[in-house]
Amino acid sequence: IITNPLCEVVIKGIIHGLPVTITHDDRNGENTGKRVLLWTLDDEIHYFLSRFLAGDAFPDLGHGKDIKLFLTTREKELEAFAKVKGFSYTPKPRDKIHELLDTLEAKHPETKFSLAKSVEEIRKITAR
C-alpha cells in the first residue's frame, strides 16, 4: 500500500517488471500487503528519542508490515531528492528534539547515522 506519491515513483522504479500489485489505500480493511511509508532517518531517530525520553525504556521500532522507504536518508536529502523528481516535499514540524539533533549534526556530521546505528542495535537486542 503506497502512502505517498514520491514513494510510488521510487517503488515503481525498483519493482519495474515484477509481478507486484500496488494499491493506494486499504478500503476493504484486509491489508495483506506492506505499507510503504515516507519515513526518514530523522523520523526514526526522533521517534526513538521522543519515546525513550517519555519513559518507554525500549520503544518498539519493529518494521512489521511497514517499509520505511527512506530510512537511511536524512530529511534534507529527501527534500532535495523530491525536488529533483518534481515533487513538493514539506518537512515535518520541528520540535526541541529535531533542533537538538540538527545542532549536533551541524557540529558532528555523522551524528544522525551513529544514532541510527545505535537505535538499530537496541532494536535487535530488545527483539530477542
Side-chain angles (χ1 to χ4, degrees):
I1 299 171
I2 302 293
T3 59
N4 181 283
L6 182 57
C7 290
E8 182 174 4
V9 167
V10 172
I11 289 294
K12 283 183 176 180
I14 293 169
I15 64 168
H16 182 74
L18 296 175
V20 176
T21 302
I22 295 176
T23 61
H24 294 90
D25 59 22
D26 186 24
R27 288 187 191 156
N28 61 9
E30 297 176 20
N31 182 359
T32 58
K34 292 186 177 265
R35 287 186 318 150
V36 179
L37 305 176
L38 190 69
W39 187 268
T40 65
L41 178 74
D42 296 69
D43 294 326
E44 190 81 349
I45 296 167
H46 182 273
Y47 178 77
F48 176 82
L49 289 175
S50 64
R51 299 307 311 148
F52 185 77
L53 294 172
D56 291 350
F58 299 104
D60 178 30
L61 290 171
H63 302 292
K65 284 196 162 213
D66 295 334
I67 297 171
K68 297 174 180 177
L69 192 58
F70 298 100
L71 188 57
T72 59
T73 307
R74 289 178 283 207
E75 193 159 19
K76 290 208 178 284
E77 295 165 341
L78 179 58
E79 188 173 4
F81 177 73
K83 186 176 180 179
V84 166
K85 289 292 188 179
F87 289 89
S88 63
Y89 176 76
T90 304
K92 294 172 184 78
R94 312 302 282 171
D95 64 7
K96 295 281 186 193
I97 294 173
H98 283 109
E99 291 171 13
L100 172 64
L101 290 170
D102 290 342
T103 300
L104 288 171
E105 182 79 3
K107 291 179 183 177
H108 308 283
E110 294 301 315
T111 298
K112 290 181 181 179
F113 288 108
S114 296
L115 278 170
K117 187 175 180 181
S118 297
V119 167
E120 182 62 19
E121 288 301 315
I122 290 170
R123 187 187 68 76
K124 287 177 186 175
I125 292 168
T126 59
R128 294 179 191 168

